[in-house]
Amino acid sequence: MDAAKPPLRILLCAPRGFCAGVVRAIDAVEEALRRYGAPVYVRHEIVHNKFVVDSLKKKGAIFVEELDEVPDTNAPVIFSAHGVPKSVPADAAERRMFAIDATCPLVTKVHREAEIHHRKGRHILLIGHNGHPEVVGTMGQLPPGTITLVETPEDARTINPPACDDLAYVTQTTLSVDDTAEMVEILRSRFPNLSAPHKEDICYATTNRQEAVKQVAPQVDAMIVVGAPNSSNSQRLREAAERAGCDRAVLLQRASEIDWTVFSGITTLGITAGASAPEVLVDEIVSAFSERYDTAVEIATTAEEKVFFPLPRALRSDAAE
């Protein structure tokens, strides 16, 4: 052991980092660049991670917030993993754009559920965060006034939807499992006939990463969540660590953001990563701690993930070229 360095046990949560929907979205941009060359336009950050976005920019991706920022072009225009309102592909079609939809299939599932409930005459309660691109996309699947957003338990207690007897709920895919369960319970107590999703809307990756954090957080002095401030699933991981008993839980984008005073005196450290954070950033943070501590790294596995989503049809090798 290096006498100059204090010992530090690092528990790496598994699963962590990229989920299947994020891998598919990033691969879609890279395959479009390989197949069609630069530039490739991307509406909104393809995933919420600056490192990923900057690396794709270097390869020739141009990120825009709205389609009116895209010039008249034959270049591909890719929609982000978070999903888009129906007006966006309609605008793209009107402008004869070569649009590629990289919406995560699990987000698309929520869109389809909302449409089915709407066709059955139900008013929809959407549990999610106002302004998050996934929520904007889901609300944009249906006419205004057909979806009511529920952000907090207080909202669940007080909202007055227009049709109390024929309601259904859907949720954003990246929410806190525990918070959502609380809100659903409140809504069910108020609206006993509330229709639920056929299968849980919160995605497998969000659920698995939160569960891993809940297992590790009580065992460590501090927890680092590698992820972006605008990443919903990363913020929920930090909250989950705090709730599970880890007072020093911080969200970091990179090793350069480490405030070493926060970690003074620790002997155990948990590390996880949001679903849009690449493993290279986890490695970077582990290396930074290894420079100051005599580290012993362990993997804390709570689930195995084998989910795979194929590329959007327009980019598959079996599609007509």
Side-chain angles (χ1 to χ4, degrees), residues 77-193:
V77 180
I78 299 179
F79 305 149
S80 81
H82 311 97
V84 294
K86 275 193 170 171
S87 57
V88 172
D91 289 348
E94 193 172 320
R95 288 184 57 187
R96 300 180 185 277
M97 288 177 163
F98 174 25
I100 298 170
D101 189 355
T103 300
C104 173
L106 299 178
V107 175
T108 300
K109 172 182 104 51
V110 177
H111 292 180
R112 298 292 84 81
E113 282 176 340
E115 288 179 327
I116 290 166
H117 287 309
H118 178 60
R119 282 204 299 271
K120 291 181 176 177
R122 295 173 183 141
H123 185 80
I124 294 150
L125 306 177
L126 168 58
I127 301 173
H129 299 296
N130 188 30
H132 187 280
E134 186 184 325
V135 166
V136 172
T138 300
M139 294 190 81
Q141 300 304 304
L142 298 175
T146 55
I147 298 179
T148 297
L149 184 62
V150 180
E151 290 193 84
T152 64
E154 184 58 26
D155 287 348
R157 290 186 195 96
T158 57
I159 54 151
N160 286 304
C164 292
D165 291 333
D166 214 356
L167 293 172
Y169 78 88
V170 296
T171 82
Q172 187 178 329
T173 63
T174 54
L175 298 177
S176 157
V177 173
D178 295 337
D179 284 350
T180 304
E182 180 188 0
M183 284 186 266
V184 169
E185 194 174 321
I186 294 166
L187 291 170
R188 281 195 183 289
S189 69
R190 294 185 62 204
F191 312 112
N193 296 327

Side-chain angles (χ1 to χ4, degrees), residues 8-13 16 269 271 279 282-283 285-287 289-290 293-300:
L8 179 66
R9 179 172 172 241
I10 296 178
L11 291 179
L12 286 181
C13 295
R16 65 181 176 278
L269 173 68
I271 301 178
E279 187 65 9
V282 174
D283 295 341
I285 285 171
V286 171
S287 295
F289 275 89
S290 295
Y293 293 87
D294 183 37
T295 54
V297 179
E298 301 171 29
I299 309 296

Side-chain angles (χ1 to χ4, degrees), residues 16-273:
R16 65 181 176 278
F18 281 177
C19 62
V22 164
V23 170
R24 175 180 185 265
I26 294 168
D27 286 354
V29 178
E30 292 188 330
E31 177 61 17
L33 285 164
R34 186 192 69 77
R35 196 176 285 211
Y36 302 105
V40 167
Y41 292 89
V42 184
R43 184 190 177 277
H44 193 68
E45 291 185 349
I46 189 69
V47 297
H48 284 157
N49 187 274
K50 185 177 186 302
F51 181 88
V52 171
V53 168
D54 286 348
S55 67
L56 292 173
K57 282 179 181 175
K58 287 175 188 160
K59 295 175 183 177
I62 296 174
F63 290 84
V64 300
E65 281 305 304
E66 299 298 344
L67 292 186
D68 58 16
E69 299 169 52
V70 180
D72 289 333
T73 178
N74 293 324
V77 180
I78 299 179
F79 305 149
S80 81
H82 311 97
V84 294
K86 275 193 170 171
S87 57
V88 172
D91 289 348
E94 193 172 320
R95 288 184 57 187
R96 300 180 185 277
M97 288 177 163
F98 174 25
I100 298 170
D101 189 355
T103 300
C104 173
L106 299 178
V107 175
T108 300
K109 172 182 104 51
V110 177
H111 292 180
R112 298 292 84 81
E113 282 176 340
E115 288 179 327
I116 290 166
H117 287 309
H118 178 60
R119 282 204 299 271
K120 291 181 176 177
R122 295 173 183 141
H123 185 80
I124 294 150
L125 306 177
L126 168 58
I127 301 173
H129 299 296
N130 188 30
H132 187 280
E134 186 184 325
V135 166
V136 172
T138 300
M139 294 190 81
Q141 300 304 304
L142 298 175
T146 55
I147 298 179
T148 297
L149 184 62
V150 180
E151 290 193 84
T152 64
E154 184 58 26
D155 287 348
R157 290 186 195 96
T158 57
I159 54 151
N160 286 304
C164 292
D165 291 333
D166 214 356
L167 293 172
Y169 78 88
V170 296
T171 82
Q172 187 178 329
T173 63
T174 54
L175 298 177
S176 157
V177 173
D178 295 337
D179 284 350
T180 304
E182 180 188 0
M183 284 186 266
V184 169
E185 194 174 321
I186 294 166
L187 291 170
R188 281 195 183 289
S189 69
R190 294 185 62 204
F191 312 112
N193 296 327
L194 183 68
S195 295
H198 287 298
K199 192 182 175 199
E200 185 65 61
D201 283 340
I202 296 176
C203 84
Y204 77 95
T206 298
T207 303
N208 289 347
R209 279 150 191 71
Q210 287 178 23
E211 189 55 40
V213 164
K214 289 176 191 175
Q215 297 289 328
V216 168
Q219 304 178 52
V220 296
D221 300 321
M223 173 76 78
I224 291 173
V225 178
V226 184
N230 63 337
S231 163
S232 173
N233 77 84
S234 299
Q235 290 284 10
R236 304 295 81 76
L237 289 173
R238 183 186 57 75
E239 292 168 3
E242 287 178 345
R243 287 181 180 177
C246 183
D247 295 333
R248 283 188 270 186
V250 294
L251 180 68
L252 299 175
Q253 296 193 80
R254 315 211 45 164
S256 58
E257 294 182 356
I258 297 171
D259 177 356
W260 292 105
T261 61
V262 172
F263 301 99
S264 63
I266 66 169
T267 59
T268 52
L269 173 68
I271 301 178
T272 188

